[in-house]
Amino acid sequence: MKTRISPHPRQAGYALMIVLIMSVIAVIVLAATMKRTATTALLNERENQFNASFYAAEAAVEKVVGKMLADYQQGQDALISNNSSSYHLIYPTSGDNAYWGNFEFSDAQGNLNNTFVRLTVNGSTNFVPLQSQYYGLSGKRTIYRVLSNARQLNTRFNITNAVQQDMELDSIPIFQFAIFYNRDLEFTWAAPLIINGRVHANGPIYTGVSSSSSLTFNSLVTTAVTKSKKSLGSYLVSNMTGPETYTGGYTTNVPTMSLPIGTNNASDAAIREILNVPPAGEDVNSQLGQQRYYNKPGTMVLLVSNTIVTAIIKSSANDSSPIILTNANSPLGVSNSFPFLSLTNTFMDQRENSKVVNVTQINMARLKSWASTNVSIATKFPSDNPFSILYVNDQRNNGAAPLNAVRLVNGTNLPSFGTSSNVGFTVATPQPLYILGNYNVPVAADAGTTNTSHTVPASVVSDALTILSANWSDAKSFGSYGSKNNPQNTTINAAILTGVVYTTGTDSTTFSGGVHNLPRLLENWTGYTLTLNTSIVNLYNSVSATNQFQVPGNYYNAPNRQFSFDVNFTDPAKLPPGTPMLGVMQRNQWASPPPNNTTYAGP
């Protein structure tokens, strides 16, 4: 007999209710999950769209910045200024990539297909402290703001994003550096040196001294390439065991710094043009025209030929009616019109393969006296634009063997005119330059010291620079090296911008001599001291004085070198007349401002 037991009706109802409740819960959970998924998808979509518009705005800014950087390499501040009105037309287009057709770009002022570019700081007049790798220097700072708004088209959300980048253009006086080289900077096998100012090279820096020497940098050292030791002049790296100290640290691979002379501003030939007479028809307002010493404000040009001496006295490079003084190239003619000038001196330079040097000699004390009373000087050079630069070009044709050069004598008290006691004086020439005796040392007690409180801002600019002591004899220079007079302790208080004969190999006959031998010498300086309070700058190779450096004992013996950076040059008011200005372009403030805002200053 079979028996079937049926569930109680109440138990069946409970089971059904539980099933219904669980079903409802499942539906609720499913709905919540679907809603959450949909919300997350929307948030993700919005975030993706936000990021896309942000990166599009950044791409627009970078496209303009890239163009500005390219223009700066070609023409620096002037080309940036000339092209500034066209930068706003630059933005990413479908011609660059089809992707950019999905975006709308504007300049935050309601103008579509535009990028905001505006000059926000004009640094044409005032010097300000610089930052980043230029910390400790002062310069004229100009800032352009580049800003873009971007919106992605045909999307769910109406999102506009913005990016702005301030680009800083700095002009830095080159003599604010203790040492500045446009190419290789060699300290190889230097005598003990302590360098208290900034050091920079656009090429590599080579160090390495003997165990009996030392090299100390008390300020930041920078190079656009690398810093290393290298065997040069027959000096081997294995013997370079002397200590090197970098109190201020050093940085490699920094941006190059160059003169604003236009294209090819890194080549020796292009940079050396700042020394030369401008060619006929060159625009004096061109970038190169403005950098030529011939054209700088406050310049008197002195041209010497075989038959005539000409002084061109002009109030500015644009002066259409300069005063031109001329006289025959004869002892009487020169002495009558230009009592500070002598053209009869000659001597032998043993460094230059014993060439005879024909000298355009400038007596600085007589020049100071002549200029202070000359009517033409007073007419063309008012007190607010005084006579402060002498440009000399010896154009005499003396045959292939002799060497034309300029020599400065009696230079303890330099000309310094105008309303400011800091005007100072610069001498520039495309020929080799020789300085005889102390220079810019108006107080005798300051000789041989680092005290430059009584000097005037001064610089000498030339193809090559040779320093002769006051005991130098032109007559004895034609004899043997050993027959020359012993020198005297000598002090030069002036910035130096000159050429060198670059290293071409690793042996002793192919070495530049290094930065410590940039000032050439022709005497046996053993036991005597050469004091330089200076800034040492090399931008180009020598093209007139071209013989390679030779080790001591052939035509000179090394002095006790007391080379110091003149801290006066860190004050813009105390820079030498006509100081060249280096150009650098760097990124300043970056921000993501609110859309349609061009004055955002950051949080």
Side-chain angles (χ1 to χ4, degrees):
M1 177 178 179
K2 296 181 179 179
T3 304
R4 182 167 62 90
I5 302 175
S6 300
H8 193 280
R10 182 175 296 177
Q11 290 178 333
Y14 285 155
L16 179 61
M17 184 176 294
I18 291 171
V19 171
L20 291 173
I21 290 172
M22 294 300 294
S23 298
V24 169
I25 291 174
V27 170
I28 292 173
V29 171
L30 178 61
T33 300
M34 294 179 66
K35 182 176 181 180
R36 185 172 65 252
T37 300
T39 301
T40 301
L42 288 173
L43 289 174
N44 288 339
E45 182 181 353
R46 190 179 189 283
E47 182 179 5
N48 290 338
Q49 191 177 330
F50 178 91
N51 289 337
S53 61
F54 172 83
Y55 292 127
E58 189 171 41
V61 167
E62 288 301 313
K63 187 173 182 181
V64 174
V65 168
K67 173 61 175 170
M68 293 178 72
L69 288 168
D71 285 349
Y72 192 77
Q73 289 296 318
Q74 295 296 313
Q76 294 193 319
D77 299 56
L79 191 56
I80 294 287
S81 178
N82 292 340
N83 291 344
S84 60
S85 61
S86 63
Y87 291 141
H88 70 96
L89 299 175
I90 299 174
Y91 63 95
T93 68
S94 55
D96 300 323
N97 189 294
Y99 174 75
W100 299 120
N102 299 318
F103 294 89
E104 174 185 271
F105 296 93
S106 70
D107 64 356
Q109 297 178 307
N111 300 308
L112 296 179
N113 300 329
N114 270 256
T115 302
F116 178 87
V117 182
R118 178 177 294 173
L119 177 68
T120 59
V121 176
N122 188 340
S124 60
T125 56
N126 296 323
F127 284 86
V128 297
L130 302 179
Q131 302 301 319
S132 185
Q133 66 262 37
Y134 310 111
Y135 179 79
L137 302 172
S138 296
K140 295 181 179 180
R141 175 188 294 161
T142 296
I143 296 178
Y144 286 88
R145 172 158 293 179
V146 183
L147 184 149
S148 177
N149 283 200
R151 183 174 71 89
Q152 193 172 13
L153 303 172
N154 304 318
T155 53
R156 185 189 301 269
F157 302 101
N158 184 23
I159 297 176
T160 298
N161 225 324
V163 169
Q164 75 179 31
Q165 174 70 67
D166 288 349
M167 297 301 297
E168 179 177 322
L169 285 63
D170 296 325
S171 295
I172 304 173
I174 201 167
F175 294 138
Q176 283 195 359
F177 289 88
I179 300 173
F180 185 98
Y181 266 51
N182 188 52
R183 287 177 53 178
D184 300 5
L185 172 52
E186 298 158 346
F187 292 94
T188 301
W189 219 251
L193 287 180
I194 299 175
I195 302 165
N196 292 315
R198 288 287 301 269
V199 174
H200 176 82
N202 285 336
I205 295 178
Y206 299 120
T207 60
V209 294
S210 69
S211 59
S212 61
S213 188
S214 62
L215 190 57
T216 301
F217 299 92
N218 287 327
S219 296
L220 179 64
V221 177
T222 56
T223 167
V225 190
T226 58
K227 184 191 77 68
S228 64
K229 295 181 180 180
K230 183 178 180 180
S231 297
L232 294 171
S234 74
Y235 303 113
L236 302 178
V237 170
S238 58
N239 295 327
M240 298 176 186
T241 58
E244 298 178 13
T245 304
Y246 297 86
T247 304
Y250 68 86
T251 305
T252 61
N253 298 303
V254 304
T256 60
M257 288 180 266
S258 54
L259 295 184
I261 59 174
T263 58
N264 299 319
N265 59 9
S267 73
D268 292 332
I271 299 173
R272 199 171 49 245
E273 279 297 315
I274 67 174
L275 297 182
N276 294 336
V277 175
E282 181 182 79
D283 182 3
V284 296
N285 295 314
S286 67
Q287 290 177 284
L288 177 56
Q290 293 180 63
Q291 296 302 314
R292 291 186 188 275
Y293 274 89
Y294 185 99
N295 292 330
K296 287 182 180 285
T299 298
M300 181 179 81
V301 173
L302 188 67
L303 305 177
V304 177
S305 74
N306 291 77
T307 58
I308 196 168
V309 177
T310 302
I312 304 173
I313 305 171
K314 54 192 190 308
S315 59
S316 69
N318 295 298
D319 191 342
S320 60
S321 56
I323 297 174
I324 299 178
L325 306 178
T326 61
N327 215 318
N329 180 356
S330 65
L332 182 60
V334 168
S335 62
N336 285 341
S337 294
F338 308 109
F340 56 86
L341 179 63
S342 173
L343 301 175
T344 59
N345 298 84
T346 62
F347 61 88
M348 180 177 288
D349 187 327
Q350 289 185 317
R351 155 101 186 232
E352 287 300 308
N353 287 327
S354 297
K355 285 184 178 179
V356 174
V357 181
N358 293 294
V359 180
T360 292
Q361 183 160 291
I362 309 294
N363 186 310
M364 301 301 288
R366 292 178 184 174
L367 174 65
K368 181 177 182 178
S369 176
W370 175 82
S372 65
T373 59
N374 185 271
V375 174
S376 298
I377 294 290
T379 300
K380 287 296 183 179
F381 294 122
S383 59
D384 60 343
N385 179 31
F387 173 36
S388 57
I389 299 175
L390 176 66
Y391 176 89
V392 185
N393 190 2
D394 187 335
Q395 302 170 319
R396 288 177 290 179
N397 180 5
N398 299 301
L403 181 68
N404 290 348
V406 175
R407 184 164 66 180
L408 309 180
V409 302
N410 203 6
T412 55
N413 287 274
L414 299 185
S416 186
F417 307 108
T419 56
S420 171
S421 60
N422 290 324
V423 171
F425 203 75
T426 288
V427 177
T429 176
Q431 278 82 48
L433 181 68
Y434 296 76
I435 298 177
L436 193 153
N438 288 345
Y439 193 79
N440 196 17
V441 191
V443 176
D446 294 340
T449 75
T450 58
N451 184 359
T452 56
S453 61
H454 302 109
T455 65
V456 299
S459 65
V460 288
V461 184
S462 60
D463 174 79
L465 176 68
T466 302
I467 296 172
L468 307 172
S469 81
N471 215 25
W472 169 265
S473 167
D474 285 351
K476 289 188 176 182
S477 69
F478 290 93
S480 65
Y481 172 56
S483 67
K484 296 179 182 178
N485 294 338
N486 289 329
Q488 294 180 2
N489 296 334
T490 301
T491 299
I492 307 294
N493 294 322
I496 296 168
L497 195 167
T498 195
V500 299
V501 180
Y502 291 122
T503 297
T504 57
T506 59
D507 60 45
S508 60
T509 64
T510 58
F511 182 37
S512 74
V515 64
H516 45 296
N517 284 305
L518 176 140
R520 300 179 176 203
L521 302 172
L522 295 175
E523 299 164 87
N524 184 357
W525 286 82
T526 302
Y528 296 90
T529 299
L530 174 61
T531 300
L532 300 182
N533 294 302
T534 186
S535 164
I536 296 176
V537 176
N538 168 246
L539 298 178
Y540 44 78
N541 62 312
S542 300
V543 297
S544 294
T546 57
N547 204 47
Q548 201 84 32
F549 166 81
Q550 299 174 38
V551 296
N554 292 320
Y555 57 85
Y556 91 110
N557 278 82
N560 299 318
R561 294 181 178 91
Q562 186 169 290
F563 294 1
S564 299
F565 174 57
D566 189 345
V567 295
N568 283 331
F569 299 153
T570 61
D571 181 352
K574 295 181 180 180
L575 287 165
T579 297
M581 304 287 281
L582 297 164
V584 295
M585 187 174 188
Q586 61 178 326
R587 294 175 185 267
N588 193 287
Q589 184 181 25
W590 181 95
S592 179
N596 304 315
N597 186 319
T598 62
T599 59
Y600 184 67

